[in-house]
Amino acid sequence: MIYLDHNATTPIAPEVREAMMPYLTGEWGNPSSSYKFGSKLKGVIETARAQVAELIGASSRDVVFTSCATESNNTAIHAALKTDPQKRHIITSAVEHSSVLNYCMALEQENYRVTYLPVERDGLLKIVDLETALTDDTAIVSLLWANNETDVLFPVEDIARVCQARGVLFHCDAVQAAGKVPINVSKLPVDYLSLTGHKFNAPKGVGALYIRRKSPFTPYLHGGHQERGRRGGTENVALIVALGKAAELALKKLPTYDRTVRPLRDALEEGILGYPRPSDGRGTGGEGILNAELNGHKSQRLPNTCNLTFHGIESEALLLLLDQAGVCASSGSACLADSDEPSHVVKAMKTESAASRQMIRFSLDGTNTATEIKNVLSKVQGTVKLLRG
Ligand code: PLP
């Protein structure tokens, strides 16, 4: 199997598995208990909190553990709406993850007004569109750091400054950015920021929400006093430890992430799109595959993803044959993979074309190899040829 779907999920790192194991076996106490067998786990949770905080330049106190980024995203938007119930307007974009989009659509049923900002053909967001959409009634702006389908980066610093200047709360879904680009909330005026462990080598089912110290907050899950009253529910110690360890590893790998992954991604993309062989010898060069097109901005994106349309070939047919050939890729968000809907992201970028039905996302990480990429290239070339007859 050649796994090129790291934006969907990543394998659990051996160090992470090892770190969490004691809390799935002998150390099964409840951190809220008064006796030591349980209460000593509080320290373990705080170590993990510090590790996550360090990944994003936060202070530990401002990090709350959640069950996933879907919960983090819902919680942030919910908190902002509860702060000032008079404000009934939300701004997001047409290319957000379903955990924001579908929540916003549900809120429209409760008489909230939602602006879904458009994006350009290359997936970029125009800051002027945000400025124009802001009103005195806007409760929150919720926008991605990096898109999960195209990896296109939104101008988060500009967004944060515009929101700050207008006194509007800003939530950023940084799920795909974490561990791939530096994040420093001490320098970025973001009110809420979401993460999830399974995108950077922790297991599924654990996430975090950063909440700026002075930003308003109302819990989404009411319950016990866990997480300083910001999220009820007995802590999942093993998963929290795993998230902490994964954050520590991600921070360690961050300085080399780009130079490890980018050449592999570029080789794949150049091989398919047929860019000329660069002078440093990277990539396969040559003619590439006819009628293939990049979805997303060429440079303003993360280094690990290429999202391509193969004109005339439905995504599902190509994915099926690639799967049979041992290649894991996807046609967009894994959370929507069981629906027949074309990618809402590519549709928002290229409204007129069939690109959204004929797209494939390859997302890599540092464990992929040049040999794998060569293999995938030849499998894609063969499969496309077969499907085009
Ligand atoms: N936001 C983005 C950008 C994502 O890519 C994902 C996962 O695919 C999520 C949110 C949801 O994360 P989780 O699966 O932890 O709920």
Side-chain angles (χ1 to χ4, degrees), residues 7-8 67-71 73 97 99 144 146-148 173 175-176 195-199 205-206 333-335:
N7 288 9
S67 65
C68 58
T70 298
E71 182 191 327
N73 288 347
H97 186 263
S99 53
L144 284 160
N147 188 278
N148 49 305
D173 175 346
V175 160
Q176 295 293 344
L195 304 175
T196 190
H198 72 104
K199 309 290 180 176
V206 62
S333 171
C335 298

Side-chain angles (χ1 to χ4, degrees), residues 3-10 146-153 175-181 199 257-266 268-269 299 301-307 361-368 373:
Y3 187 78
L4 298 185
D5 202 16
H6 292 88
N7 288 9
T9 200
T10 56
N147 188 278
N148 49 305
E149 295 195 20
T150 60
D151 267 6
V152 169
L153 295 159
V175 160
Q176 295 293 344
K180 297 175 186 161
V181 287
K199 309 290 180 176
Y257 182 82
D258 193 298
R259 66 171 182 269
T260 313
V261 181
R262 186 181 295 276
L264 297 168
R265 192 274 310 270
D266 287 355
L268 179 63
E269 194 168 288
S299 58
R301 60 179 163 149
L302 294 174
N304 77 311
T305 298
C306 60
N307 185 317
R361 174 187 73 181
F362 298 101
S363 49
L364 288 62
D365 90 347
T367 60
N368 290 122
I373 298 305

